[in-house]
């Protein structure tokens, strides 16, 4: 028996909606299903409400996201008065020998704390990361121990640091949840220094360096934080964006390219901004980033402490 045309049209619409409803979860899962390196999270900074998470507790290699913690300890040292923006660190042979990306520093050369911060944020300079580690911790191993100790204080329970830059090391691991925790802690504990993460470019010794986070130029409201890449991790990004008085942190691990990572981050943040007010208006009964929601400032760990 043939249905009337109006009934056929209604049935067809229902079928289309059913197909779309079934396809949406599969589409949402595709990045994770197709990519074993993938993990992601989106969180509202003020409340800690989690708007999205996928494989958020699976351990991943942070790559240069590591430098967020290096900078956290620099900001701690500035805040305590242990160093000043004009304090100069001397470049060791070990620091100068680090592979790119780097500033190309020479042994015996000096660099100020201010220059080091800008080089870490924009160029993601590995030589500078070691200069900072040695300057604050006395050695890379001491500084890495301080990084891990600080991670534990902040609630980053599945993170271990072995170096200050994120170059390959099997023992250097983290998670999307822990990196979201660190990003929110940077905003909470060192808000006056957060402006550095918005730096678009930096000139050192006559060479101009652009920030690796290209989304800052194309995504409305984005003003940081850090990119990262090694082959074992894929293309990583922690990003912060503010719209209409709400700030979200997004984390993506395992992008297949910088562009696909950026596109996926933009999509996750767009969906987060669409959801956040509805979620909060509904009482925000969902999961929260427990380690940072309404948390007091963690006590500073002195770099160099075991």
């Amino acid at each position: 028996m043939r249905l009337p045309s109006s009934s056929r049209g209604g049935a067809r619409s229902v079928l289309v909606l059913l197909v779309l409803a079934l396809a949406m979860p599969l589409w949402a899962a595709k990045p994770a299903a197709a990519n074993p390196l993938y993990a992601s999270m989106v969180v509202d900074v003020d409340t800690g409400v989690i708007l999205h998470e996928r494989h958020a507790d699976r351990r991943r290699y942070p790559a240069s996201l590591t430098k967020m913690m290096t900078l956290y300890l620099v900001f701690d040292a500035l805040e305590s008065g242990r160093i000043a923006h004009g304090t100069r660190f001397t470049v060791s042979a070990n620091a100068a020998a680090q592979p790119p990306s780097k500033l190309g520093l020479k042994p015996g050369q000096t660099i100020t704390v201010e220059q080091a911060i800008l080089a870490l944020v924009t160029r993601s300079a590995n030589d500078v990361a070691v200069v900072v580690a040695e300057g604050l911790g006395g050695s890379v191993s001491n500084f890495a121990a301080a990084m891990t100790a600080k991670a534990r204080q902040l609630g980053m329970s599945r993170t271990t640091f072995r170096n200050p830059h994120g170059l390959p090391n099997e023992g250097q691991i983290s998670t999307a949840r822990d990196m979201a925790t660190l990003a929110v802690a940077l905003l909470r504990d060192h808000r006056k220094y957060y402006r550095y993460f918005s730096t678009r470019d930096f000139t050192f010794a006559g060479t101009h360096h652009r920030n690796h986070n290209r989304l800052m130029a194309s995504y409305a409201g984005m003003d940081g934080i850090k990119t990262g890449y090694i082959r074992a991790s894929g293309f990583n990004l922690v990003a912060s964006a503010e719209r209409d008085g709400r700030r979200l942190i997004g984390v993506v691990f395992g992008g297949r390219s910088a562009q696909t990572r950026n596109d996926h981050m933009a999509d996750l943040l767009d969906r987060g901004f669409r959801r956040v007010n509805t979620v909060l208006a509904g009482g925000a009964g969902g999961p929260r980033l427990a380690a940072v929601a309404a948390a007091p400032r963690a006590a500073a760990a002195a770099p160099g402490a075991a």
Side-chain angles (χ1 to χ4, degrees):
M1 180 179 69
R2 291 177 60 84
L3 292 172
S5 60
S6 59
S7 297
R8 291 200 305 272
R12 189 178 300 114
S13 298
V14 171
L15 179 61
V16 169
L17 289 173
L18 180 60
V19 169
L20 288 174
L22 291 172
M24 284 177 66
L26 295 175
W27 177 86
K30 188 176 180 181
N35 184 354
L37 303 179
Y38 177 78
S40 59
M41 174 168 274
V42 177
V43 61
D44 176 65
V45 170
D46 291 334
T47 64
V49 168
I50 296 169
L51 300 166
H52 162 88
E53 60 178 305
R54 188 170 296 279
H55 302 320
D57 294 311
R58 293 190 183 179
R59 286 177 168 171
R60 302 287 189 252
Y61 296 116
S64 282
L65 301 185
T66 295
K67 295 182 178 84
M68 292 164 55
M69 180 59 83
T70 300
L71 285 161
Y72 188 106
L73 293 186
V74 171
F75 299 153
D76 267 358
L78 282 168
E79 195 66 13
S80 70
R82 184 180 170 201
I83 58 174
H85 288 82
T87 299
R88 302 194 77 89
F89 290 141
T90 301
V91 180
S92 69
N94 178 42
Q98 298 301 307
S101 60
K102 59 195 293 185
L103 283 189
L105 300 173
K106 306 298 183 186
Q109 189 174 354
T110 63
I111 185 171
T112 68
V113 168
E114 177 85 3
Q115 290 170 327
I117 293 170
L118 293 171
L120 291 172
V121 168
T122 58
R123 180 63 176 167
S124 197
N126 297 323
D127 50 357
V128 174
V130 172
V131 170
V132 167
E134 293 174 342
L136 288 179
S139 70
V140 166
S141 59
N142 281 350
F143 189 78
M147 293 169 74
T148 301
K150 175 60 71 175
R152 294 295 177 272
Q153 290 180 16
L154 296 177
M156 300 166 65
S157 61
R158 296 177 67 82
T159 295
T160 300
F161 293 107
R162 296 286 186 244
N163 62 54
H165 40 49
L167 287 169
N169 185 304
E170 289 186 357
Q172 181 131 326
I173 51 176
S174 189
T175 68
R177 190 181 309 277
D178 279 2
M179 281 294 139
T181 297
L182 177 54
V184 177
L186 276 162
L187 279 159
R188 181 192 67 218
D189 300 342
H190 293 304
R191 187 170 291 272
K192 74 179 183 180
Y193 301 116
Y194 179 78
R195 62 182 175 83
Y196 283 113
F197 291 105
S198 300
T199 305
R200 299 291 184 93
D201 48 53
F202 162 64
T203 300
F204 181 81
T207 301
H208 190 72
H209 306 281
R210 292 181 59 199
N211 195 308
H212 291 177
N213 184 3
R214 302 291 192 255
L215 268 182
M216 285 201 298
S218 61
Y219 189 86
M222 184 170 293
D223 53 15
I225 291 181
K226 191 73 190 71
T227 62
Y229 171 79
I230 58 174
R231 184 176 298 177
S233 75
F235 290 84
N236 303 338
L237 176 62
V238 174
S240 175
E242 185 174 21
R243 291 182 182 176
D244 300 322
R246 298 233 67 93
R247 180 175 290 278
L248 304 185
I249 292 289
V251 180
V252 170
F253 277 83
R256 295 194 182 280
S257 70
Q259 187 61 55
T260 58
R261 173 202 65 193
N262 291 351
D263 291 345
H264 186 55
M265 176 64 80
D267 181 59
L268 289 178
L269 289 173
D270 282 345
R271 283 189 276 165
F273 280 118
R274 286 196 295 267
R275 289 192 63 221
V276 62
N277 290 326
T278 301
V279 170
L280 295 179
R288 293 175 182 250
L289 200 61
V292 295
R297 189 189 191 281

